[in-house]
Amino acid sequence: MHAKQPIGVFDSGVGGLTVAKAIKTLLPQEDIIYFGDTKNLPYGEKSPMAIKSYAQNISRFLLELNCKAIVIACNTATANALQEVQDLVGNKALVFDVIQPIAQTVAQGPGRNVGLIATKATVNSGVYKRSIQAINPNIAVHELATPLLVPVIEEGFSKHLIAQTVIGTYLSQPALANIDSLILGCTHYPLLADEIAAFYQNKITVIDSPNIVAQHMAKVLAEKGLLQSENHQAVYHFYLSDITENFQNIAKKFFGNQLTLELKIL
Ligand code: DGL
């Protein structure tokens, strides 16, 4: 592993772009290779076996492209395939996930009644509750699967009345009554952060997952001497297993015109 290698980031679709953007903001000199598995989304509705196989195929591909780090920018893939990705990658690259850094932050934070919204496959795994309570058993974690949010975002309806209605319906469920903070346990959901904050009128803390993940990764890369030199002009390459207009729009919004987009079926 050396500092000049790119960072690989993957998700089922546009969600991981929230993490990739946080990495770009914090580490603008790093090359990023992104894989969006749009052909197979939503991961949240798939079986653990299917999710493991998608995550392994993508990780193998990112290793072939010589990535020094693989960021599983997907809670559903982290919850269901982290061990498999770690086994496959071994010591060829560093593996980062989007759940452990959040669990650490939440377990040490002030919240005692923490809400979690995520895909069905993430909630069913129970990983968030287990990881948070393993560090701090005094925190209650109130989980709710919110499967309609990913299609709303992938279809480009984030700023539409549909989004507000779906958010309002989910967040009013009894499972989330009396929470003091909320984890957006799907990397797609920060794309609805404003709408979610508006629902709560800023009365609860919404955890900024992409930033926490990027900061954790930057710290580890720095400790290992794996940060790209600061005067390097970063390149961004996006692979998609199915090219969608919404992905192109959001990628351009986050990365400007510096990006290359390519269809890749694994
Ligand atoms: N963005 C993903 C996550 O963090 C998965 C969404 C999906 O494909 O269901 O869980």
Side-chain angles (χ1 to χ4, degrees), residues 78-145:
T78 299
N80 290 278
L82 175 60
Q83 188 62 55
E84 285 74 12
V85 171
Q86 284 171 335
D87 291 348
L88 183 131
V89 171
N91 57 9
K92 295 188 209 89
L94 301 175
V95 175
F96 294 95
D97 75 273
V98 285
I99 295 184
Q100 287 314 315
I102 312 307
Q104 282 285 347
T105 306
V106 169
Q108 289 155 6
R112 283 296 166 269
N113 274 303
V114 178
L116 166 79
I117 53 171
T119 66
K120 281 186 204 160
T122 298
V123 169
N124 289 344
S125 75
V127 167
Y128 264 102
K129 195 181 247 178
R130 259 199 319 281
S131 308
I132 293 169
Q133 293 182 340
I135 311 170
N136 187 342
N138 298 321
I139 295 180
V141 182
H142 307 274
E143 300 170 307
L144 182 73

Side-chain angles (χ1 to χ4, degrees), residues 11-13 15-16 40-45 73-77 98 119 122 150 185-188:
D11 179 45
S12 60
N40 292 316
L41 75 81
Y43 278 8
E45 302 294 309
C74 173
N75 290 265
T76 309
V98 285
T119 66
T122 298
V150 166
C186 169
T187 52
H188 279 69

